[in-house]
């Protein structure tokens, strides 16, 4: 007589958990694991889109990149854009969150308007900024001319008829940072606002009773308690900006003269448009250790702070 084996409750829970997690694991392996493995293989070989044959070159692609001025400039631009965006997002996000936490009329409308840049697709936002920064039809230039800051000798932006935001290296780099801050500011504001709402009110009220002023409460009580929240904001902003290609690709395509070239765009132009898959994969792999190191560092600091 055959005996039936019934699973225990713990075994059923384990199987259910494995079944729920398995699609996520497959998604990560197929979407991230396979491309990373292919990138490593391509980076160690001389492979192009015009030839299916791969020639093993070891670390030749990496050493060649380190000797390329365009690559070193892309590394510098990537860190400059990321760091500047981080500072702008943290400062402006904290200010906006501090204002939104106050009881004011129409707060829901203000929050809705602040979240609009985050809800819009990144490509459409970049295209809108491409029009706003156009060398001929820029509304920003029209505003500057109307304010007397452009178009005559002694003006803040010179006596040029247009500023050419995307045609000069310094202004183009500033424009990339400006668009990145505009895109990521809503996310940072929401994260910091959630942290501000989680600050115990009894501590704030006690400090007010003790005679602590606004700035003393802000810098000695509120901001120190928000350090883990700032860590999450820094992590999300760093990952988004450091690996972003949309803003640079749509606005400047790395120009003028590679002045705004970053590692993701350089990898795309080298590997996909240029056909040098091995060199492009080597360029993209430089992002991986930096992102991993920064993520591990920030998460460890957040965990240590919470403990």
């Amino acid at each position: 007589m055959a005996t039936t084996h019934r699973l225990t409750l713990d075994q059923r829970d384990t199987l259910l958990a494995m079944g729920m997690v398995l699609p996520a694991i497959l998604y990560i392996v197929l979407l991230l694991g396979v491309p990373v493995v292919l990138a490593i293989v391509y980076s160690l070989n001389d492979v192009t889109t015009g030839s299916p044959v791969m020639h093993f070159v070891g670390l030749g692609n990496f050493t060649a990149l380190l000797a390329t001025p365009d690559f070193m400039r892309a590394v510098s631009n990537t860190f400059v854009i990321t760091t500047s965006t981080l500072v702008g997002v943290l400062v402006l996000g904290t200010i906006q969150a501090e204002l939104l936490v106050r009881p004011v009329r129409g707060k829901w409308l203000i929050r809705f308007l602040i979240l609009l840049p985050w809800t819009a697709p990144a490509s459409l936002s970049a295209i809108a900024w491409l029009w706003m920064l156009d060398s001929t039809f820029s509304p920003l230039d029209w505003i500057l001319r109307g304010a007397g800051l452009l178009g005559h000798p002694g003006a803040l932006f010179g006596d040029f008829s247009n500023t050419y935001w995307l045609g000069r290296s310094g202004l183009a780099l500033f424009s990339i940072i400006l668009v990145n801050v505009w895109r990521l500011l809503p996310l940072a504001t929401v994260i910091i606002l959630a942290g501000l709402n989680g600050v115990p009110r009894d501590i704030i009220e006690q400090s007010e009773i003790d005679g602590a002023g606004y700035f003393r409460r802000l810098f000695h009580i509120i901001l120190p308690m928000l350090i883990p929240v700032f860590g999450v904001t820094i992590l999300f902003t760093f990952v988004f900006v450091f690996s972003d290609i949309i803003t640079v690709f749509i606005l400047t395509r790395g120009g003028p003269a590679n002045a705004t070239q970053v590692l993701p765009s350089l990898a795309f132009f080298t590997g996909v448009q240029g056909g040098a898959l091995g060199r492009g994969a080597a360029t993209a792999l430089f992002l991986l250790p930096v992102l991993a190191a920064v993520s591990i560092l920030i998460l460890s600091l957040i965990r240590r702070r919470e403990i």
Side-chain angles (χ1 to χ4, degrees):
M1 182 176 178
T3 59
T4 59
H5 178 68
R6 291 189 175 183
L7 298 176
T8 64
L9 186 60
D10 290 340
Q11 291 174 335
R12 292 178 181 178
D13 290 342
T14 302
L15 289 177
L16 178 61
M18 293 177 60
M20 297 292 288
V21 174
L22 185 60
I25 296 176
L26 292 176
Y27 174 81
I28 294 174
V29 170
L30 295 177
L31 192 65
L32 297 178
V34 174
V36 169
V37 172
L38 288 176
I40 295 174
V41 173
Y42 286 165
S43 66
L44 300 175
N45 292 271
D46 183 15
V47 54
T48 62
T49 55
S51 174
V53 181
M54 293 191 299
H55 302 284
F56 182 76
V57 295
L59 299 177
N61 288 325
F62 295 96
T63 55
L65 284 176
L66 293 175
T68 305
D70 291 343
F71 173 78
M72 300 307 298
R73 186 165 190 179
V75 172
S76 175
N77 290 338
T78 304
F79 280 99
V80 168
I81 292 174
T82 304
T83 305
S84 302
T85 303
L86 268 174
V87 173
V89 164
L90 282 178
V91 173
L92 296 178
T94 304
I95 294 174
Q96 284 191 352
E98 175 65 19
L99 294 176
L100 288 175
V101 80
R102 301 169 182 269
V104 294
R105 292 184 178 180
K107 184 185 295 186
W108 65 270
L109 179 60
I110 299 174
R111 291 182 178 180
F112 171 75
L113 294 176
I114 290 177
L115 285 174
L116 274 181
W118 180 250
T119 58
S123 56
L124 293 182
S125 301
I127 292 174
W129 276 101
L130 181 63
W131 171 75
M132 292 180 64
L133 300 172
D134 185 80
S135 59
T136 304
F137 305 104
S138 172
L140 299 180
D141 290 351
W142 181 82
I143 295 174
L144 291 176
R145 281 193 296 269
L149 300 177
L150 177 69
H152 63 87
L156 180 62
F157 290 88
D159 58 349
F160 303 98
S161 58
N162 299 86
T163 55
Y164 302 103
W165 296 96
L166 304 178
R168 302 179 186 176
S169 58
L171 285 177
L173 199 63
F174 171 78
S175 300
I176 298 295
I177 297 170
L178 175 65
V179 175
N180 282 332
V181 171
W182 180 83
R183 283 179 51 198
L184 295 173
L185 185 58
L187 176 64
T189 302
V190 170
I191 295 175
I192 298 173
L193 181 60
L196 285 175
N197 289 325
V199 175
R201 304 309 304 174
D202 55 344
I203 297 179
I204 305 299
E205 293 173 357
Q206 184 63 43
S207 64
E208 292 177 354
I209 294 175
D210 293 339
Y214 169 76
F215 289 102
R216 192 168 186 178
R217 295 197 307 269
L218 179 64
F219 290 102
H220 292 275
I221 299 176
I222 298 177
L223 294 184
M225 296 183 69
L226 292 180
I227 289 179
V229 177
F230 289 144
V232 175
T233 306
I234 292 172
L235 179 60
F236 275 98
T237 304
F238 186 90
V239 171
F240 275 123
V241 179
F242 199 81
S243 58
D244 179 66
I245 187 179
I246 296 176
T247 304
V248 173
F249 182 81
I250 294 179
L251 293 184
T252 64
R253 293 184 177 270
N258 289 326
T260 60
Q261 197 75 266
V262 292
L263 286 176
S265 62
L266 182 63
F268 174 80
F269 290 132
T270 303
V272 178
Q273 289 194 346
L277 294 179
R279 191 73 61 87
T283 305
L285 282 179
F286 273 93
L287 298 169
L288 189 60
V290 176
L291 290 173
V294 172
S295 300
I296 293 173
L297 176 62
I298 293 177
L299 291 176
S300 62
L301 292 176
I302 293 174
R303 184 177 180 182
R304 184 181 305 175
R305 180 72 181 184
E306 290 178 345
I307 294 175

